[in-house]
Amino acid sequence: MAADRDDAAAPLEGAARDKVFQGELVKLIPHLRAFARTLTGDATQADDLAQDAMIKAWDARASFQLGTNMKAWTFMILRNQFYSDKRRSWRSTQLDQEAAERTLVAIDDPGSPLALDELRLAMAMLPYEQREALILVGAGGFAYEEAADICGCAVGTVKSRVSRARKALQGILETGSYDRDGREAGDAMRSILADAERLSAIR
Amino acid sequence: MDERRKGTAPLDEARLRQRAIGVKLRQMFDEVVNEPVPDEFLDILRRADNKTGER
């Protein structure tokens, strides 16, 4: 229709807007899954969380301004969902223990390199605030400012959480003080160093 | 700065370790990003979409 010729400049509305929103949301699903997985350390729990966050984002689509940072917005929804789930569940520490045990079982998976599992176990020992800050900045590709918006805290707080998380991880990996027995201390750090060296040689 | 000075060696080592942890963390994250998305996700979104259409 001739009247629609200018619609690129007109704000999207109704079904057309929903369609654009949904397309963007679908593109973010892999990232939401990765955030949820690294945050919870448990694949099943993570996909439940990512699905909840996806639906919450869809339901709240009218409040999202298209063209702004949708990844940060959906990540914020996911972490808020994560903390409200945790508050509701008084068994949360117990669930974490179960998740850690499932992770231990998953170590047999031949497709996943050993050092990744060591890192996963070490991550599980970090306080949630440190874990989420480190994931957002260290893996999610967010700037400190964006991570602060997502976590609803000051930029300085994110910086100190990330730095404490890094130190703690290194300490855990070097001493082998994660919840796993039968391996010598220092093995994890050695294998992580070797893997990282190999990866940077390929790049 | 003389990098071979004894005092700087532990710092470099620490940096190397931090970099290695960073690489592994990104790998851990990207591994999930690169997994195929389970159909369940798109099914849920499709159902939510249909619900909106009926309104």
Side-chain angles (χ1 to χ4, degrees):
Chain A
M1 264 191 284
D4 287 338
R5 228 181 296 158
D6 278 338
D7 67 0
L12 284 167
E13 277 170 18
R17 186 191 188 275
D18 281 357
K19 204 175 171 187
V20 170
F21 182 94
Q22 197 181 79
E24 295 295 311
L25 186 58
V26 166
K27 275 189 253 171
L28 287 170
I29 293 173
H31 299 269
L32 290 171
R33 293 185 72 231
F35 183 33
R37 179 93 60 92
T38 43
L39 194 60
T40 63
D42 178 73
T44 311
Q45 198 190 334
D47 269 359
D48 286 347
L49 176 61
Q51 282 168 11
D52 285 350
M54 182 186 74
I55 285 304
K56 279 239 155 92
W58 173 252
D59 288 343
R61 63 194 179 281
S63 72
F64 178 73
Q65 205 181 332
L66 283 179
T68 61
N69 192 342
M70 190 161 169
K71 188 177 169 192
W73 184 71
T74 52
F75 272 49
M76 183 174 66
I77 291 172
L78 189 147
R79 63 84 69 183
N80 289 346
Q81 180 69 36
F82 174 67
Y83 283 108
S84 89
D85 287 351
K86 282 198 76 61
R87 269 195 300 275
R88 223 175 301 140
S89 163
W90 60 271
R91 293 195 322 129
S92 57
T93 29
Q94 209 176 324
L95 282 174
D96 286 341
Q97 189 52 46
E98 286 167 17
E101 276 159 21
R102 270 198 295 274
T103 311
L104 285 174
V105 173
I107 279 175
D108 289 337
D109 178 3
S112 100
L114 182 68
L116 268 187
D117 291 305
E118 309 284 8
L119 181 59
R120 211 165 280 148
L121 290 172
M123 288 281 284
M125 294 183 72
L126 296 181
Y128 286 112
E129 292 80 12
Q130 289 182 25
R131 207 189 300 176
E132 81 177 337
L134 183 64
I135 294 165
L136 292 172
V137 172
F142 291 102
Y144 283 110
E145 289 74 14
E146 292 172 320
D149 282 345
I150 292 169
C151 303
C153 66
V155 178
T157 309
V158 173
K159 283 185 180 167
S160 94
R161 282 176 186 168
V162 169
S163 135
R164 271 182 289 153
R166 285 189 171 135
K167 273 200 203 95
L169 269 189
Q170 194 179 336
I172 294 164
L173 290 166
E174 277 167 5
T175 58
S177 63
Y178 41 84
D179 299 331
R180 182 183 188 192
D181 33 42
R183 278 189 78 81
E184 267 179 52
D187 268 6
M189 196 64 235
R190 265 203 297 281
S191 72
I192 281 178
L193 277 167
D195 271 13
E197 225 161 82
R198 190 174 44 78
L199 282 172
S200 50
I202 294 166
R203 273 171 201 166
Chain B
M1 225 207 298
D2 183 5
E3 284 180 1
R4 273 158 295 183
R5 234 177 17 177
K6 261 189 176 169
T8 61
L11 186 67
D12 290 342
E13 179 67 10
R15 230 174 250 158
L16 194 69
R17 286 173 179 222
Q18 278 306 329
R19 203 170 304 150
I21 291 172
V23 168
K24 298 304 290 184
L25 179 64
R26 273 193 299 281
Q27 192 193 344
M28 186 168 131
F29 190 92
D30 291 345
E31 221 178 61
V32 188
V33 172
N34 293 325
E35 279 178 15
V37 170
D39 293 338
E40 224 182 324
F41 279 83
L42 298 176
D43 289 345
I44 290 171
L45 209 51
R46 213 169 289 133
R47 277 201 300 275
D49 195 17
N50 290 339
K51 213 168 64 190
T52 327
E54 286 162 16
R55 258 185 233 160

